[in-house]
């Protein structure tokens, strides 16, 4: 299936390419502005037909630089001049049987898995197609030097997440690297129904510094991952009382599940059970017991108002959240089986799945097999050592009501794990990759447990309240109630991606206290600026950009992963993923200016890229931290 998709994708690509060759004889730079003064221009250097100049004057000015590259021809694919189907087929099959394609560098995931799990026929078949598509990454790489000029709708959708008239206009009028697509359509994330609720966060977060006694507000928290790496400090600003960690979420599912997990932590359920409820598609019977206790306890919370903001520091449940948790309570009697869990989990895979790049880049066959197993079954930890009658399907994943269906497509817990923290503390030879993650979670949850319900004679360090509540500009009662708490810090997940920038600042200002610091991560900044993507650069610099990006990744190895769990040279990934690392650096500042435009007196603490890790879902994440108060010494908050 994946294989067929890949082929058809390339077919499209080739058709566009060939069409381009046939009809637009010249080369086709997308960036048709003068290389010197950036004015729109139609004339190109007649020698190389690549670089635009508005006048002879500008061209002369640039010649000293330009002559170095003018006329150098890259290694070109020989593309047939006719696009008759038979010739095209021949061309594609030529490429496919090219010796280069058989890259021995690529591990055989299918074979390794079938040695350990010989009876999993469906899995093995699936891995066969995964294996082909990984091999074809090599094939894609050849296209990095070539410019299709006619927009491929599929590619545009992937790159910009829309295919609208305004976008096409933006892409076909003169523009330059760093220009903002200001008409980018934004729509709120919140949906009427929680159709594809997130089971857990899907990107790594900043490590948070909480100040003793202060208020932290977490908007769109999804789960408690922010606390895993957090630490509590005490200084002249601290107050002698517990930290109040107050979450507001627009997802019924996330609020229900996270309240239960919090209760399990408070009740000191075994850490393994907490980890299973949080992450795993399959639970042990033991876990079900602890889950039941926590559910009963959460159902004793009082009712939050149906509309209007809840009391921030009271344990309250919105009626919709109560309905879901009550449904879980009822489902405890008749859980589904492990087998059903596997089946339901695997339904969520789509053919575009690139999560297997993670596997391909792992160095130890042991880790490749285990992570493949995890991806295919959703088990965490793997349950191979348990007897089947001791296992059940996760209630929270597979027993929801009101059309709620969590675990949206291709969701993977590995995507949110802070790789540098985890890998630098473990030895690949001794600790398996999945165990390294398990140990990180175990230690982190023990820490949170000590904060929430400390040993006799010690003070409670944190109180956690999690509410169902959309945070929007028209929910002014809620914004006022947040402001009243004078939050020390507010975290916004990636909610900035769903707002027009002016509306977003308006929202933040409406709930900021005197010196509130805001932290967030943007995924979609990338879809708002021209030049963040490698294919937007001139064909002949792309190869170098790709190589430079690859170099950056290999340099990071020493710090992030000293014992080498992953490979950092010859990285197996879509070449765009790698190339974009270089491209995004070029345009970051332009987007930063855009994001803070008109916000005078802003005090920026951090505006930096999340370092590359193989496990991330996207590789262009931007961490942002700022306050509207100039007087705050923000450097101490954001790193
Ligand atoms: C911002 S979404 C992003 C999900 C994911 N990182 C992505 O982009 O694919 C994360 C969580 O924020 C919640 N959320 C989104 N907008 C919200 C809002 N205005 N108020 C409260 N929660 C919100 C959603 O319910 C969701 O659980
Ligand atoms: C939980 O479910 C059980 C069995 O279905 C039921 O007897 C009990 O009342 C429920 N508890 C709550 C708090 O809803
Ligand atoms: C916020 O600042 C104003 C003006 O400086 C001051 O009057 C007010 O007391 C401050 N509020 C808090 C909670 O510190």
């Amino acid at each position: 299936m994946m294989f067929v998709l890949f082929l058809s994708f390339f077919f499209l690509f080739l058709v566009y390419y060939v069409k381009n060759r046939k009809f637009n004889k010249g080369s086709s730079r997308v960036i048709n502005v003068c290389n010197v003064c950036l004015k729109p221009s139609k004339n190109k250097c007649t020698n190389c037909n690549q670089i635009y100049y508005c006048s002879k004057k500008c061209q002369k000015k640039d010649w000293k630089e330009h002559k170095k590259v003018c006329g150098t021809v890259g290694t070109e694919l020989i593309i047939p001049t006719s696009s008759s189907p038979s010739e095209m087929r021949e061309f594609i099959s030529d490429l496919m049987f090219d010796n280069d394609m058989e890259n021995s560098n690529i591990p055989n995931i299918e074979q390794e898995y079938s040695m350990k799990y010989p009876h999993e026929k469906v899995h093995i078949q699936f891995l066969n197609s995964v294996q082909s598509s990984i091999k074809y990454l090599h094939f894609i790489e050849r296209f990095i030097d070539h410019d299709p000029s006619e927009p491929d709708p599929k590619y545009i959708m992937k790159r910009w997440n829309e295919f609208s008239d305004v976008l096409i206009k933006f892409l076909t009028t003169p523009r330059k690297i760093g220009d903002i697509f200001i008409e980018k359509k934004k729509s709120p994330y919140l949906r009427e129904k929680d159709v594809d609720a997130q089971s857990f966060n899907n990107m790594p977060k900043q490590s948070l510094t909480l100040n003793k006694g202060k208020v932290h507000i977490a908007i769109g928290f999804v789960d408690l991952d922010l606390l895993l790496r957090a630490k509590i400090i005490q200084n002249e600003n601290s107050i002698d009382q517990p930290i109040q960690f107050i979450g507001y979420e627009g997802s019924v599912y996330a609020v229900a599940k996270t309240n239960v997990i919090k209760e399990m932590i408070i009740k000191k359920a075994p850490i393994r059970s907490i980890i299973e409820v949080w992450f795993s598609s399959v639970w042990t019977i033991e876990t079900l017991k602890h889950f039941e206790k926590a559910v009963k306890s959460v159902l004793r919370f009082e009712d939050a108002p149906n509309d209007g903001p809840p009391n921030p520091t009271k344990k309250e449940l919105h009626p919709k959240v109560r309905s879901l948790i009550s449904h879980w309570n009822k489902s405890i009697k008749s859980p589904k089986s492990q087998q059903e869990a596997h089946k339901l989990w695997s339904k969520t895979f789509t053919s575009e799945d690139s999560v297997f790049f993670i596997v391909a880049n792992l160095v130890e066959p042991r880790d490749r097999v285990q992570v493949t197993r995890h991806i295919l079954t959703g088990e965490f930890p793997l349950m191979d050592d348990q007897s089947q009658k001791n296992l059940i399907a996760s209630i929270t994943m597979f027993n929801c009501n009101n059309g709620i269906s969590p675990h949206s497509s291709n969701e993977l817990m590995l995507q949110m794990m802070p790789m540098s923290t985890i890998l630098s503390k473990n030895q690949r030879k001794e600790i398996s990759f999945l165990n390294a993650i398990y140990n990180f979670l175990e230690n982190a949850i023990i820490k949170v447990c000590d904060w929430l319900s400390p040993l006799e004679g010690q003070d409670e360090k944190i109180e956690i309240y999690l509410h169902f509540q959309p945070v929007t500009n028209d929910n002014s009662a809620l914004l006022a109630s947040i402001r009243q708490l004078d939050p020390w810090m507010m975290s916004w997940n990636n909610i900035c991606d769903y707002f027009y920038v002016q509306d977003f600042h308006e929202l933040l200002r409406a709930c900021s206290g005197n010196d509130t610091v805001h932290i967030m991560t943007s995924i979609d900044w990338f879809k708002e600026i021209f030049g963040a993507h490698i294919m937007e650069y001139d064909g002949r610099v792309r190869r170098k950009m790709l190589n430079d990006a690859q170099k950056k990744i290999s340099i990071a190895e020493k710090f992030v992963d000293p014992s080498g769990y992953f490979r950092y040279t010859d990285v197996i990934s879509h070449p765009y993923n790698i190339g974009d690392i270089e491209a995004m650096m070029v345009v970051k500042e332009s987007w930063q200016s855009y994001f803070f435009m008109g916000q005078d007196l802003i005090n920026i603490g951090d505006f930096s890229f999340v370092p590359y890790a193989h496990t991330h879902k996207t590789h262009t994440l931007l961490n942002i931290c700022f306050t509207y108060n100039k007087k705050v010494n923000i450097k101490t908050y954001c790193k």
Side-chain angles (χ1 to χ4, degrees), residues 54-80:
C54 65
S55 62
K56 279 268 173 253
K57 202 172 130 213
C58 279
Q59 183 172 15
K60 254 194 176 150
K61 220 169 157 184
D62 200 36
W63 178 242
K64 214 175 147 200
E65 274 312 300
H66 178 57
K67 72 175 177 196
K68 294 177 196 158
V69 288
C70 182
T72 51
V73 184
T75 43
E76 292 227 349
L77 262 181
I78 298 145
I79 301 282

Short mmCIF file of all heavy atoms in Angstrom, two decimals, residues 54-80:
data_model
loop_
_atom_site.label_atom_id
_atom_site.label_comp_id
_atom_site.label_asym_id
_atom_site.label_seq_id
_atom_site.Cartn_x
_atom_site.Cartn_y
_atom_site.Cartn_z
N CYS A 54 17.02 43.11 -11.87
CA CYS A 54 16.06 44.07 -12.38
C CYS A 54 16.70 44.96 -13.43
O CYS A 54 16.05 45.54 -14.28
CB CYS A 54 15.49 44.90 -11.24
SG CYS A 54 16.72 45.93 -10.47
N SER A 55 18.04 45.10 -13.37
CA SER A 55 18.70 46.01 -14.31
C SER A 55 20.13 45.55 -14.54
O SER A 55 20.68 44.74 -13.78
CB SER A 55 18.73 47.41 -13.71
OG SER A 55 19.48 47.36 -12.50
N LYS A 56 20.74 46.10 -15.59
CA LYS A 56 22.15 45.80 -15.86
C LYS A 56 23.04 46.22 -14.69
O LYS A 56 24.02 45.57 -14.37
CB LYS A 56 22.60 46.55 -17.13
CG LYS A 56 22.19 45.85 -18.41
CD LYS A 56 23.32 44.90 -18.89
CE LYS A 56 22.88 44.05 -20.08
NZ LYS A 56 22.64 42.65 -19.78
N LYS A 57 22.62 47.32 -14.08
CA LYS A 57 23.41 47.88 -12.99
C LYS A 57 23.54 46.86 -11.84
O LYS A 57 24.62 46.59 -11.33
CB LYS A 57 22.74 49.17 -12.49
CG LYS A 57 23.69 50.10 -11.77
CD LYS A 57 23.02 51.44 -11.47
CE LYS A 57 23.21 51.79 -10.01
NZ LYS A 57 22.09 52.54 -9.45
N CYS A 58 22.38 46.32 -11.48
CA CYS A 58 22.39 45.34 -10.38
C CYS A 58 23.18 44.10 -10.79
O CYS A 58 23.89 43.51 -9.98
CB CYS A 58 20.97 44.97 -9.99
SG CYS A 58 20.22 46.19 -8.91
N GLN A 59 23.01 43.71 -12.03
CA GLN A 59 23.71 42.51 -12.47
C GLN A 59 25.22 42.69 -12.37
O GLN A 59 25.95 41.80 -11.92
CB GLN A 59 23.31 42.17 -13.91
CG GLN A 59 23.96 40.88 -14.38
CD GLN A 59 23.43 40.41 -15.73
OE1 GLN A 59 22.78 41.17 -16.45
NE2 GLN A 59 23.70 39.17 -16.06
N LYS A 60 25.69 43.88 -12.78
CA LYS A 60 27.13 44.18 -12.72
C LYS A 60 27.63 44.11 -11.29
O LYS A 60 28.67 43.54 -11.00
CB LYS A 60 27.38 45.59 -13.28
CG LYS A 60 28.00 45.57 -14.66
CD LYS A 60 28.52 46.95 -14.99
CE LYS A 60 29.25 46.93 -16.33
NZ LYS A 60 29.13 48.23 -17.01
N LYS A 61 26.84 44.69 -10.42
CA LYS A 61 27.19 44.76 -9.01
C LYS A 61 27.40 43.35 -8.43
O LYS A 61 28.24 43.13 -7.58
CB LYS A 61 26.04 45.44 -8.27
CG LYS A 61 26.49 46.40 -7.19
CD LYS A 61 25.27 47.19 -6.74
CE LYS A 61 25.42 47.76 -5.36
NZ LYS A 61 24.18 48.43 -4.97
N ASP A 62 26.60 42.41 -8.92
CA ASP A 62 26.59 41.07 -8.35
C ASP A 62 27.58 40.13 -9.01
O ASP A 62 27.83 39.03 -8.54
CB ASP A 62 25.17 40.49 -8.48
CG ASP A 62 24.92 39.34 -7.50
OD1 ASP A 62 25.44 39.39 -6.37
OD2 ASP A 62 24.24 38.38 -7.87
N TRP A 63 28.15 40.56 -10.11
CA TRP A 63 28.90 39.63 -10.95
C TRP A 63 30.07 38.97 -10.22
O TRP A 63 30.32 37.77 -10.33
CB TRP A 63 29.36 40.32 -12.24
CG TRP A 63 30.18 39.41 -13.12
CD1 TRP A 63 31.47 39.57 -13.50
CD2 TRP A 63 29.74 38.16 -13.71
NE1 TRP A 63 31.88 38.53 -14.30
CE2 TRP A 63 30.83 37.64 -14.43
CE3 TRP A 63 28.55 37.44 -13.68
CZ2 TRP A 63 30.76 36.44 -15.13
CZ3 TRP A 63 28.47 36.24 -14.37
CH2 TRP A 63 29.58 35.75 -15.09
N LYS A 64 30.74 39.77 -9.38
CA LYS A 64 31.90 39.24 -8.68
C LYS A 64 31.53 37.98 -7.88
O LYS A 64 32.26 36.99 -7.88
CB LYS A 64 32.45 40.32 -7.73
CG LYS A 64 33.95 40.25 -7.61
CD LYS A 64 34.53 41.37 -6.78
CE LYS A 64 35.75 40.82 -6.05
NZ LYS A 64 36.13 41.58 -4.91
N GLU A 65 30.38 38.03 -7.25
CA GLU A 65 29.91 36.86 -6.49
C GLU A 65 29.32 35.80 -7.41
O GLU A 65 29.63 34.62 -7.33
CB GLU A 65 28.82 37.29 -5.49
CG GLU A 65 29.34 37.76 -4.17
CD GLU A 65 30.39 36.84 -3.56
OE1 GLU A 65 30.10 35.66 -3.31
OE2 GLU A 65 31.53 37.33 -3.37
N HIS A 66 28.49 36.29 -8.31
CA HIS A 66 27.71 35.36 -9.12
C HIS A 66 28.56 34.53 -10.06
O HIS A 66 28.27 33.37 -10.33
CB HIS A 66 26.63 36.13 -9.90
CG HIS A 66 25.81 35.27 -10.79
ND1 HIS A 66 25.09 34.19 -10.31
CD2 HIS A 66 25.60 35.29 -12.14
CE1 HIS A 66 24.48 33.59 -11.32
NE2 HIS A 66 24.77 34.24 -12.45
N LYS A 67 29.67 35.10 -10.52
CA LYS A 67 30.46 34.36 -11.52
C LYS A 67 31.03 33.06 -10.92
O LYS A 67 31.33 32.12 -11.64
CB LYS A 67 31.57 35.23 -12.10
CG LYS A 67 32.73 35.52 -11.16
CD LYS A 67 33.82 36.28 -11.89
CE LYS A 67 34.95 36.62 -10.92
NZ LYS A 67 35.84 37.66 -11.43
N LYS A 68 31.15 33.03 -9.61
CA LYS A 68 31.66 31.81 -8.98
C LYS A 68 30.75 30.61 -9.22
O LYS A 68 31.19 29.48 -9.23
CB LYS A 68 31.81 32.01 -7.46
CG LYS A 68 32.85 33.02 -7.07
CD LYS A 68 32.87 33.20 -5.56
CE LYS A 68 33.61 34.47 -5.17
NZ LYS A 68 33.22 34.91 -3.83
N VAL A 69 29.46 30.89 -9.29
CA VAL A 69 28.52 29.78 -9.46
C VAL A 69 27.89 29.74 -10.84
O VAL A 69 27.36 28.71 -11.26
CB VAL A 69 27.38 29.83 -8.42
CG1 VAL A 69 27.90 29.46 -7.06
CG2 VAL A 69 26.70 31.18 -8.41
N CYS A 70 27.96 30.87 -11.57
CA CYS A 70 27.26 30.95 -12.84
C CYS A 70 27.78 29.88 -13.80
O CYS A 70 28.97 29.74 -14.02
CB CYS A 70 27.47 32.33 -13.46
SG CYS A 70 26.58 32.52 -15.01
N GLY A 71 26.86 29.11 -14.34
CA GLY A 71 27.26 28.15 -15.36
C GLY A 71 27.69 26.79 -14.81
O GLY A 71 27.83 25.84 -15.55
N THR A 72 27.86 26.67 -13.52
CA THR A 72 28.17 25.35 -13.00
C THR A 72 26.90 24.52 -13.05
O THR A 72 25.84 24.94 -12.62
CB THR A 72 28.66 25.41 -11.54
OG1 THR A 72 27.71 26.17 -10.81
CG2 THR A 72 30.02 26.02 -11.42
N VAL A 73 27.02 23.35 -13.57
CA VAL A 73 25.83 22.53 -13.72
C VAL A 73 25.90 21.37 -12.73
O VAL A 73 26.91 20.68 -12.63
CB VAL A 73 25.73 21.98 -15.15
CG1 VAL A 73 24.45 21.20 -15.33
CG2 VAL A 73 25.80 23.13 -16.14
N GLY A 74 24.84 21.19 -12.02
CA GLY A 74 24.78 20.11 -11.04
C GLY A 74 24.63 18.77 -11.73
O GLY A 74 24.47 18.69 -12.94
N THR A 75 24.70 17.69 -11.01
CA THR A 75 24.46 16.38 -11.60
C THR A 75 22.98 16.27 -11.90
O THR A 75 22.15 16.30 -11.01
CB THR A 75 24.85 15.26 -10.64
OG1 THR A 75 24.38 15.63 -9.35
CG2 THR A 75 26.35 15.04 -10.61
N GLU A 76 22.67 16.17 -13.16
CA GLU A 76 21.26 16.21 -13.55
C GLU A 76 20.70 14.83 -13.81
O GLU A 76 21.38 13.96 -14.33
CB GLU A 76 21.10 17.06 -14.81
CG GLU A 76 21.39 18.52 -14.56
CD GLU A 76 20.32 19.41 -15.16
OE1 GLU A 76 19.50 18.91 -15.93
OE2 GLU A 76 20.33 20.61 -14.84
N LEU A 77 19.47 14.66 -13.45
CA LEU A 77 18.76 13.46 -13.85
C LEU A 77 18.45 13.58 -15.32
O LEU A 77 18.12 14.66 -15.79
CB LEU A 77 17.41 13.42 -13.14
CG LEU A 77 17.28 12.59 -11.90
CD1 LEU A 77 15.85 12.71 -11.42
CD2 LEU A 77 17.60 11.15 -12.21
N ILE A 78 18.55 12.52 -16.04
CA ILE A 78 18.14 12.60 -17.43
C ILE A 78 16.67 12.24 -17.51
O ILE A 78 16.26 11.12 -17.21
CB ILE A 78 18.99 11.68 -18.32
CG1 ILE A 78 20.44 12.16 -18.21
CG2 ILE A 78 18.51 11.70 -19.76
CD1 ILE A 78 21.44 11.07 -18.25
N ILE A 79 15.90 13.24 -17.84
CA ILE A 79 14.45 13.05 -17.87
C ILE A 79 14.02 12.88 -19.32
O ILE A 79 14.44 13.65 -20.17
CB ILE A 79 13.75 14.30 -17.28
CG1 ILE A 79 14.21 14.55 -15.85
CG2 ILE A 79 12.25 14.17 -17.39
CD1 ILE A 79 13.58 13.64 -14.83
N PRO A 80 13.24 11.86 -19.61
CA PRO A 80 12.79 11.67 -20.98
C PRO A 80 11.98 12.88 -21.45
O PRO A 80 11.27 13.49 -20.66
CB PRO A 80 11.91 10.43 -20.92
CG PRO A 80 11.62 10.20 -19.48
CD PRO A 80 12.68 10.86 -18.70
#
